[in-house]
Amino acid sequence: MEIIYLKETTSTHQVLVEGLGQKEFKAPVALVAERQVAGVGSRGNSWEGFDGNLFLSFALPLKRVTADLPKHSMSIYFSYLMREVLASYGSKLFLKWPNDFYLNEKKIGGTITKIVSDTVVCSMGINLKSAPKQFAIIDVEIDKISLIESFILKLKEDQSWKQVFRKYQVEFSKSKRFLYYDEMQKRKISLENAELKKDGSIEFDGRKVYSLR
């Protein structure tokens, strides 16, 4: 995978999506920025781009993604792979359903995915060095370049969704003490009674909710 390093950009996610559409980039490819000034978070929210943090977007042909991965659970899949890499450095972070990296009670990062034609674009932001007051930074010292290289190697392991889900299923209980913004009801709901299904969706109050991030 080609890795392109940028000193500063608006949003690695937007630049990569637009670049793929205009044939400026070809998957597999990754963009990494030292600083971004218009980062994109879940539900169209912004993600503050403090210097030194991780701003990573990568694109993979869908045919290169494990065949059993449900499209609506791509954020869970890629996030959990990154969680495994960070854990190998000694971090105690966990993945809050469906796409947020948490340390104790505070968010330290998140993931969004988007399918562009026959390509999946995944973007991650993780607070490695600094964070706004309501967020936290990771609990270990990590060289960003080494982290990115380790993650690319993890992608090449081609773990199946079944393998990743089996491990994430154990960790899901940590999500139950948090709230989730329900797009259908336009409000935050508790995950306390949510049941994680095999396709990565959750079920509560008699209905299934899928990750659309």
Side-chain angles (χ1 to χ4, degrees), residues 50-115:
F50 287 25
D51 290 7
N53 292 336
L54 178 69
F55 310 112
L56 166 68
S57 295
F58 62 92
L60 291 173
L62 284 173
K63 64 183 180 182
R64 291 271 298 272
V65 178
T66 180
D68 67 336
L69 176 58
K71 290 183 178 180
H72 57 260
S73 290
M74 286 185 171
S75 285
I76 297 174
Y77 178 83
F78 292 122
S79 295
Y80 198 82
L81 294 185
M82 176 59 83
R83 173 243 182 262
E84 288 190 318
V85 173
L86 292 167
S88 73
Y89 284 85
S91 177
K92 303 299 183 185
L93 89 165
F94 66 94
L95 177 61
K96 170 185 168 290
W97 190 90
N99 67 330
D100 292 328
F101 299 108
Y102 265 69
L103 190 62
N104 298 318
E105 304 299 316
K106 289 191 174 183
K107 182 176 177 177
I108 65 169
T111 301
I112 57 174
T113 55
K114 180 182 181 70
I115 294 177

Side-chain angles (χ1 to χ4, degrees), residues 105-209:
E105 304 299 316
K106 289 191 174 183
K107 182 176 177 177
I108 65 169
T111 301
I112 57 174
T113 55
K114 180 182 181 70
I115 294 177
V116 181
S117 186
D118 58 353
T119 303
V120 57
V121 177
C122 178
S123 299
M124 296 181 179
I126 301 176
N127 297 330
L128 301 179
K129 297 295 184 181
S130 55
K133 284 185 178 180
Q134 68 270 33
F135 298 98
I137 61 172
I138 201 163
D139 52 342
V140 291
E141 285 286 335
I142 299 177
D143 176 74
K144 184 163 52 178
I145 303 301
S146 296
L147 173 60
I148 293 165
E149 292 175 349
S150 296
F151 179 69
I152 298 301
L153 289 175
K154 176 68 70 172
L155 287 176
K156 292 180 179 179
E157 291 179 6
D158 195 28
Q159 292 190 56
S160 68
W161 165 248
K162 184 177 181 180
Q163 289 174 301
V164 170
F165 177 80
R166 186 164 54 241
K167 291 178 283 189
Y168 178 60
Q169 193 173 24
V170 176
E171 186 168 284
F172 178 71
S173 61
K174 296 180 181 179
S175 292
K176 288 179 173 286
R177 65 181 187 269
F178 293 94
L179 300 175
Y180 168 73
Y181 186 81
D182 187 353
E183 295 284 357
M184 181 178 293
Q185 297 185 6
K186 302 300 180 185
R187 66 183 179 90
K188 291 184 177 181
I189 57 175
S190 172
L191 291 172
E192 182 178 4
N193 297 315
E195 178 185 356
L196 181 66
K197 311 305 286 186
K198 289 184 179 180
D199 63 355
S201 65
I202 56 173
E203 185 173 281
F204 59 92
D205 294 337
R207 68 187 181 93
K208 269 190 172 185
V209 176

